[in-house]
Amino acid sequence: MKGRTSPSDKVTILTLQEMKRRRKKIVALTSYDFNTTRLLNEAGVDIVLVGDSLGMVKLGYASTLPVTVEDMVYHTKIVARGNSRAFLVTDMPYLSYQASAPDAIRNCGRMLKAGAEAVKIEGGREMVAIVRALRGAGIPVMGHIGMTPQSVHLFGGYKVQGRKRAQWAKILADAKALEKAGAFAIVLECIPAGLGRQISRAVKIPTIGIGAGPACDGQILVVDDLLGLTTPPSPRFVKRYADLRGVMRRAARDYTLDVRSGKFPDLSHSYS
Ligand code: KIV
């Protein structure tokens, strides 16, 4: 492996490990479509995640629970066609990996056939056997602990996890167990910044935070939140870098006014 990564180097698991070792922050974003994925690659994003947040930000569901394996295969194929440099990870939807190892291997394997380079599954120590089985089948696994959205009903809402001493210890133990089982990275969602720091120091694999503080080895956001496409209010951990809702609404309104007034199309947009 080369000592340094240039923007054109394809990101692999080895690149991510090297970035952790060199304390170079890993940049991750979700994507669900071709054009966005191309733009994220042009911007130099290291990991593109086809998140099951797809269900909430693109499919109009109230949670990620209704998302299916077919939904994820379909969007993984689209994103893979737009991807070039970034490491491509696909989220496994609810009930596609929890029931049994053979189930998990079959469903996760479909994501690799669709173009993903790794899969992400939610859960800690209870997922150790599944992580081992997936690795055994040649499938790289990213863990996801803390506030895991597929367990929203268990948590009684999208609430910060790990504030209580016992919860803190459990999440730390989950991270260590996932590393031992062979996960190549872990997403830490909505936990105190101190816990994010402690886990990031305790494990050798990269931690990717979302609402887990600045000490994580990398950060991830839902791209629609970052672009200001989702409806406020957003969780505290979201930083909006653009107001695309405003831009899109204004463009559609200007077009509406122009068509109604006869201003569009003019001769420059017509054929002789
Ligand atoms: O589905 C998703 O977008 C995710 C990220 C928020 C980590 O799991």
Side-chain angles (χ1 to χ4, degrees):
M1 134 140 228
K2 290 178 196 157
R4 184 163 75 76
T5 56
S6 84
S8 59
D9 285 337
K10 176 74 185 82
V11 179
T12 67
I13 282 187
L14 301 182
T15 321
L16 300 172
Q17 286 166 356
E18 180 73 358
M19 288 173 84
K20 163 118 186 177
R21 216 176 53 74
R22 292 176 174 267
R23 300 207 176 132
K24 195 171 164 213
K25 292 283 184 185
I26 297 167
V27 181
L29 276 173
T30 66
S31 188
Y32 320 96
D33 67 74
F34 176 78
N35 275 331
T36 308
T37 307
R38 283 227 297 216
L39 287 173
L40 300 190
N41 274 269
E42 284 165 27
V45 166
D46 302 308
I47 297 177
V48 167
L49 170 72
V50 188
D52 64 348
S53 47
L54 166 82
M56 296 173 84
V57 298
K58 296 297 181 202
L59 307 183
Y61 297 132
S63 75
T64 59
L65 296 174
V67 176
T68 65
V69 170
E70 299 311 322
D71 291 334
M72 298 310 292
V73 167
Y74 179 74
H75 282 271
T76 298
K77 285 183 180 167
I78 294 168
V79 169
R81 287 197 285 271
N83 195 54
S84 47
R85 173 186 173 270
F87 188 66
L88 182 52
V89 184
T90 291
D91 231 352
M92 295 310 296
Y94 179 60
L95 231 47
S96 67
Y97 57 93
Q98 292 95 335
S100 70
D103 235 29
I105 292 172
R106 261 190 293 276
N107 288 325
C108 294
R110 288 189 65 191
M111 302 309 162
L112 263 67
K113 283 180 182 287
E117 294 164 295
V119 297
K120 176 165 81 57
I121 66 174
E122 296 184 9
R125 280 168 291 181
E126 66 282 10
M127 284 298 135
V128 158
I130 301 287
V131 174
R132 285 215 183 96
L134 290 173
R135 264 192 70 106
I139 302 172
V141 182
M142 177 182 265
H144 184 163
I145 54 176
M147 204 293 292
T148 43
Q150 291 174 12
S151 304
V152 58
H153 298 311
L154 204 60
F155 297 144
Y158 298 100
K159 296 179 191 308
V160 179
Q161 300 296 306
R163 280 198 167 130
K164 297 199 179 103
R165 192 188 286 261
Q167 259 183 5
W168 178 299
K170 179 194 177 297
I171 296 170
L172 179 60
D174 281 343
K176 290 179 180 170
L178 287 173
E179 174 178 43
K180 198 160 168 223
F184 74 89
I186 315 174
V187 168
L188 306 177
E189 180 161 354
C190 242
I191 57 172
L195 179 54
R197 187 185 329 111
Q198 190 176 352
I199 293 174
S200 303
R201 286 179 185 166
V203 298
K204 290 205 173 66
I205 55 176
T207 58
I208 313 291
I210 174 162
C216 297
D217 303 306
Q219 297 292 330
I220 186 162
L221 282 177
V222 168
V223 73
D224 288 50
D225 287 338
L226 166 117
L227 296 174
L229 274 169
T230 40
T231 322
S234 314
R236 179 189 173 96
F237 60 72
V238 169
K239 180 170 174 185
R240 285 179 186 265
Y241 285 82
D243 172 28
L244 288 201
R245 270 173 69 77
V247 171
M248 288 171 75
R249 195 189 302 109
R250 267 193 303 282
R253 213 201 40 221
D254 290 351
Y255 167 72
T256 304
L257 293 175
D258 281 1
V259 170
R260 290 202 175 128
S261 67
K263 211 164 151 191
F264 177 84
D266 57 12
L267 285 182
S268 71
H269 293 99
S270 305
Y271 300 99
S272 59

